[in-house]
Amino acid sequence: MKILKTLLTIVVLPVVICVLAVVIFKSVMVPVNFDHERGLREKVAIQRLKDIRSLEAAYKSVNGKFTASIDSLIDFYRTGKMSIIMQIGSSDDSAAVANTQLLKKKNKKITPEQMYELYLQGEKNLVFSISQEIFVKDTLFRSRENFVVDSLRYIPFSGSEKVQFDAVVKRVSGVNVPLFEAKMPFELLLKGMDKQLIINLKADRKAQDRYAGLMVGSVSSPNNNAGNWE
């Protein structure tokens, strides 16, 4: 009997301790791994929402309002045009400023377009600005080699679930204010992750009266198109 107890102490107890250690380790690592994976997913989602905000702002600059249609937004990117102000020369260049003033004095009706023609012909000693229409796709996201506009439809890591869009024109202090919002709820952005931790996260956001997910803009009240992560 004594030998059996000794064997239990030598063999079984260390095994039990190891099992308990593994269980404790796993229970500690579950929320750690959850937070790590959540951070990675949110980074991708935030960039997508920023891209949506940039494209919505460009759309509004042309159309005077935002759109709740992702199809319209994508079509605007592919085929739409927008005006940009191009600055030629620097106002700190006194010689260029003097030369421009002399040119305007000689020809009081000269237009920025005519000055631009002179600039293209080789007259670089000028200072002026000119509005030009360019294709949206030739200015937005040009530096992003892997940018795919169709991806703006979808919540990343969700299995092709779509971003939730809305856009309205709301009367604020007697003024019509165009508003938009784009949302990615946690249950879709974090799909496939620990369900209980997602429930806990959503409950925590609800207790703080905050949206349970990531969003940019708001149709409830003007917020300068801010993201709720900012």
Side-chain angles (χ1 to χ4, degrees), residues 2 14 175 222:
K2 187 175 181 181
V175 179

Side-chain angles (χ1 to χ4, degrees), residues 11-22:
V11 178
V12 178
L13 187 59
V15 172
V16 171
I17 292 173
C18 287
V19 170
L20 288 174
V22 170

Side-chain angles (χ1 to χ4, degrees), residues 82-186:
M82 60 186 295
S83 294
I84 62 167
I85 303 299
M86 184 165 60
Q87 177 64 39
I88 304 297
S90 170
S91 57
D92 294 329
D93 186 340
S94 58
V97 171
N99 186 58
T100 304
Q101 290 174 344
L102 181 61
L103 181 64
K104 289 180 178 179
K105 187 176 181 179
K106 289 179 178 179
N107 184 358
K108 294 182 179 180
K109 294 183 179 181
I110 193 168
T111 65
E113 289 74 21
Q114 291 171 327
M115 293 178 69
Y116 188 58
E117 283 298 322
L118 291 174
Y119 175 81
L120 293 177
Q121 291 169 15
E123 177 55 80
K124 305 300 182 183
N125 206 25
L126 295 171
V127 178
F128 65 96
S129 59
I130 183 171
S131 176
Q132 280 198 327
E133 270 202 342
I134 61 172
F135 282 103
V136 175
K137 64 182 179 181
D138 289 337
T139 182
L140 286 183
F141 318 124
R142 284 190 64 187
S143 61
R144 304 263 295 281
E145 293 182 4
N146 299 319
F147 177 77
V148 179
V149 70
D150 278 319
S151 67
L152 300 186
R153 295 179 185 275
Y154 305 110
I155 299 172
F157 310 102
S158 69
S160 298
E161 296 283 354
K162 292 185 177 181
V163 178
Q164 299 169 3
F165 284 89
D166 198 4
V168 299
V169 176
K170 191 171 185 176
R171 197 79 172 167
V172 179
S173 300
V175 179
N176 287 332
V177 179
L179 303 171
F180 91 97
E181 66 183 23
K183 293 181 175 181
M184 298 183 182
F186 281 138

